[in-house]
Amino acid sequence: MEGIVVVFDFDKTVIDCDSDNWVVDELGFTEFFDQLVDTMPWNSMMDTLMEIMHDKGITINDIVEVLKRTPIHPRIVPAIKAAHAAGCDLRIVSDANMFFIETILDHLGLRNCFSEINTNPGYVDEDGRLRISPHHDFTKSPHGCTNPCPPNMCKGLVIKRLLWEHGNKKFIYLGDGMGDYCPSLRLREGDHVMPRKNFPVWNLISNNPSLITAKIHEWANGEDFERVLLSLIQTIISNAVEDNNTNAAQLCNLDCKLKTLPISAHQSMPKALPVPF
């Protein structure tokens, strides 16, 4: 039986903002950001901003509390939990950082839903300061991708590895940014890509959709995210059920999974995460 790997971008896909900008703005360091943004690579700038924050008395707990308030659409968490309950292997490929992502996922009760997070390293050092470094050290060698990927991370290379490791499974990829275009190009016939409508990856794909081998399913908001994702999962599972090679035990297991996908269900959300309108 073929399984399903669902790969999510994080900023503006799982959450409804850029996590770096959210932390900087909420803690009142936008002016420092504006001064630094054009002077150094993004990861170096964020690491420098974390140092400035630390020197000015901002603690890790202050950053955590801001991350707990990160805006997210109320249908995202139920959708991810339903995909996990259906037996999908969930991964994250993000140009955010590990500390921000894990803190938010822990708060949402989603951390255990994901088997792997590929992102820029982020950790707290012995002085209690958050350190951020690039996923790919482009100062030593470029990743060599000619697609519009940032120098610190080619998501296409991550997807290439995942396809090599799990090539017998169906892939679903969700993203919004320019960096999500390269992994979309890597997907195969029978895979699915979900670009967020009117965001950079959607624009790139729309300019020449024939370059994308996977099936394209746009989405605009959390309701679309849930509806499209869970419908795709149902379709893939249904097709597996219809496969003559699927044995009786697998059929029973798949039938149970189909019944656990609550596309219109209304599960509770952590109250600390409002969605701005």
Side-chain angles (χ1 to χ4, degrees):
M1 181 190 72
E2 293 178 332
I4 304 171
V5 179
V6 186
V7 184
F8 301 84
D9 174 42
F10 192 73
D11 289 349
K12 299 182 183 178
T13 298
V14 173
I15 61 174
D16 249 352
C17 67
D18 180 284
S19 56
D20 288 344
N21 291 131
W22 174 258
V23 169
V24 170
D25 293 343
E26 287 293 298
L27 289 172
F29 284 78
T30 308
E31 183 177 348
F32 290 96
F33 174 92
D34 292 340
Q35 293 171 359
L36 294 172
V37 66
D38 294 325
T39 67
M40 62 183 74
W42 187 275
N43 300 121
S44 301
M45 178 199 64
M46 286 302 299
D47 188 60
T48 300
L49 280 170
M50 294 303 109
E51 181 180 16
I52 293 171
M53 289 182 184
H54 180 74
D55 291 344
K56 291 187 176 296
I58 299 296
T59 67
I60 289 298
N61 286 337
D62 293 330
I63 295 173
V64 167
E65 289 306 309
V66 166
L67 290 169
K68 288 180 179 179
R69 302 196 302 268
T70 304
I72 182 172
H73 192 282
R75 300 312 309 157
I76 299 295
V77 168
I80 290 173
K81 288 184 175 180
H84 181 254
C88 298
D89 180 3
L90 309 186
R91 312 285 179 116
I92 287 176
V93 181
S94 169
D95 198 13
N97 71 76
M98 188 66 76
F99 184 85
F100 286 6
I101 292 173
E102 288 190 329
T103 299
I104 293 170
L105 292 181
D106 283 339
H107 176 66
L108 295 171
L110 292 176
R111 181 63 186 90
N112 291 334
C113 291
F114 293 93
S115 63
E116 181 183 46
I117 299 173
N118 296 273
T119 188
N120 299 298
Y123 66 95
V124 181
D125 68 14
E126 62 275 7
D127 296 322
R129 173 197 156 191
L130 181 59
R131 301 303 307 267
I132 298 171
S133 55
H135 176 267
H136 178 86
D137 189 354
F138 56 90
T139 62
K140 294 182 178 178
S141 64
H143 53 59
C145 182
T146 57
N147 292 315
C149 300
N152 62 289
M153 187 176 199
C154 172
K155 295 182 180 182
L157 292 177
V158 178
I159 294 301
K160 180 181 179 181
R161 172 181 61 81
L162 292 178
L163 288 171
W164 182 79
E165 293 173 350
H166 308 282
N168 62 322
K169 298 182 179 182
K170 301 294 186 183
F171 274 66
I172 303 173
Y173 187 93
L174 299 89
D176 71 282
M178 192 172 294
D180 297 307
Y181 183 62
C182 186
S184 300
L185 292 169
R186 300 268 186 175
L187 298 175
R188 311 149 302 176
E189 184 177 354
D191 293 330
H192 304 268
V193 59
M194 290 177 56
R196 190 168 187 179
K197 188 176 181 179
N198 296 326
F199 280 72
V201 70
W202 182 85
N203 293 330
L204 287 168
I205 289 174
S206 298
N207 286 339
N208 195 346
S210 64
L211 295 178
I212 305 297
T213 303
K215 294 181 180 178
I216 303 166
H217 314 266
E218 66 181 33
W219 62 283
N221 53 40
E223 283 92 352
D224 289 348
F225 179 108
E226 179 182 47
R227 175 182 55 81
V228 176
L229 175 61
L230 299 190
S231 293
L232 284 176
I233 292 170
Q234 283 188 325
T235 298
I236 294 170
I237 292 176
S238 295
N239 289 340
V241 170
E242 294 171 1
D243 189 338
N244 292 332
N245 293 325
T246 304
N247 62 38
Q250 290 171 334
L251 282 170
C252 179
N253 186 40
L254 287 168
D255 184 57
C256 292
K257 288 178 180 178
L258 280 169
K259 294 175 182 178
T260 67
L261 297 179
I263 293 180
S264 301
H266 295 283
Q267 302 179 21
S268 61
M269 278 285 295
K271 295 180 180 179
L273 292 163
V275 178
F277 293 96

